[in-house]
Amino acid sequence: FMGVLCYAGYYFYLGKVLRQLDPSRAIPGRVRSALDTLAGGLLVLDHKEQIVLANKSFASMLGKSSDNLLGYRAGDLPWMDKKGKKIKSPDRPWVQALKSGEAQTNRALRLRRANRTWLTFNVNCSPVLGAGGKYAGVLVSFDDITQLENKEIEITGYTDRIGPETYNQTLSERRAQAVRDYLVSKGLPSDAISTQGLGAAKPVVGCEGERGAQLIDCLAPNRRTEIEFSAMEIIEVEKTIEVIEE
């Protein structure tokens, strides 16, 4: 939530910043400091793909300081698609955002670091207006989804015991599929996510003795979706997240 507020609050400032030839001096210290508090990586690029601003989060991922990245062409970094193919200039989301004047969202890119390890990002780009109403640069955010990509995700949907068994089975499958669709829309690889529906199996609560509306309310915890992350390499634990649909 705070990230969204910062993004919106500084969008106007960044439009002014990109009009300057020396953005490292033009960007107010308070703006740089605020962007450095964001957990995700963030770049501001000019129309030549040169880095105008890199927050600390992005710089630290590359093992560099923010100042060392100023003036560096973002396109010269070793960007790859999920198949390991180099991303050419016309296919880079920030180039497309500048050319079209439209935001590019949920683009999955991989970046090879100096230590030969890979990072996978969910990338969002928004063009920034400069002088004369022309697009002078682009604001690029990077959400690190590397650990999620290295996991297999199993989504299981459940229902309460009310209703026919066949209906509950179908409903539980639909709940699991809806969560999968959402995760894929946010950039997670679809081939790493499996789904299943178990109907009214494995109830969390029994609610014996309840009737009517009280029974429906009591059984709410059973109407859920569980997401199990099974680590392949990086993490050795599994955790379950419950999503209760009304």
Side-chain angles (χ1 to χ4, degrees):
F1 176 73
M2 290 302 298
V4 173
L5 288 179
C6 289
Y7 180 95
Y10 293 111
Y11 185 87
F12 174 76
Y13 289 105
L14 292 172
K16 290 186 175 181
V17 168
L18 290 172
R19 301 175 194 176
Q20 309 301 319
L21 295 177
D22 188 355
S24 65
R25 294 182 182 178
I27 297 178
R30 65 183 182 278
V31 176
R32 296 173 63 92
S33 298
L35 296 179
D36 281 339
T37 64
L38 299 179
L42 185 140
L43 292 178
V44 180
L45 309 178
D46 65 14
H47 66 284
K48 296 181 179 179
E49 291 189 77
Q50 291 181 325
I51 296 176
V52 172
L53 179 146
N55 73 345
K56 287 184 178 179
S57 178
F58 184 85
S60 65
M61 294 176 193
L62 301 185
K64 298 180 180 294
S65 70
S66 297
D67 290 338
N68 287 340
L69 290 175
L70 292 179
Y72 193 89
R73 291 187 74 254
D76 290 340
L77 293 170
W79 298 105
M80 305 285 179
D81 62 19
K82 293 198 291 185
K83 295 181 179 180
K85 295 182 179 180
K86 184 177 181 180
I87 303 291
K88 297 182 179 180
S89 179
D91 298 323
R92 296 169 193 153
W94 48 87
V95 173
Q96 294 177 344
L98 276 173
K99 185 176 181 179
S100 66
E102 298 179 354
Q104 304 293 313
T105 59
N106 298 325
R107 297 285 298 275
L109 295 183
R110 301 184 73 196
L111 178 64
R112 188 176 185 180
R113 296 191 289 188
N115 61 2
R116 297 182 179 275
T117 60
W118 291 91
L119 293 173
T120 302
F121 296 104
N122 186 38
V123 181
N124 295 280
C125 309
S126 293
V128 181
L129 287 174
K134 296 182 178 180
Y135 292 108
V138 60
L139 181 63
V140 189
S141 65
F142 299 86
D143 294 323
D144 187 356
I145 59 172
T146 306
Q147 289 189 346
L148 288 178
E149 190 182 53
N150 284 280
K151 299 176 184 179
E152 290 186 349
I153 303 172
E154 183 176 51
I155 305 171
T156 305
Y158 297 92
T159 67
D160 58 30
R161 66 173 184 265
I162 300 174
E165 181 178 348
T166 54
Y167 173 81
N168 286 338
Q169 177 61 35
T170 301
L171 178 59
S172 65
E173 293 171 359
R174 287 171 52 195
R175 282 179 174 162
Q177 184 64 39
V179 174
R180 179 187 184 277
D181 291 344
Y182 175 79
L183 295 178
V184 171
S185 74
K186 295 302 179 181
L188 271 67
S190 59
D191 56 359
I193 306 175
S194 62
T195 63
Q196 64 175 342
L198 295 182
K202 299 181 180 180
V204 177
V205 294
C207 301
E208 302 299 333
E210 299 288 350
R211 297 289 186 274
Q214 289 76 19
L215 176 61
I216 295 174
D217 290 341
C218 182
L219 291 174
N222 294 343
R223 303 188 291 273
R224 68 195 189 279
T225 305
E226 294 182 353
I227 307 176
E228 185 177 82
F229 298 83
S230 301
M232 296 164 61
E233 296 179 359
I234 298 177
I235 298 178
E236 297 180 355
V237 299
E238 297 182 354
K239 64 179 180 180
T240 298
I241 301 174
E242 292 188 0
V243 179
I244 302 175
E245 299 182 359
E246 296 183 354

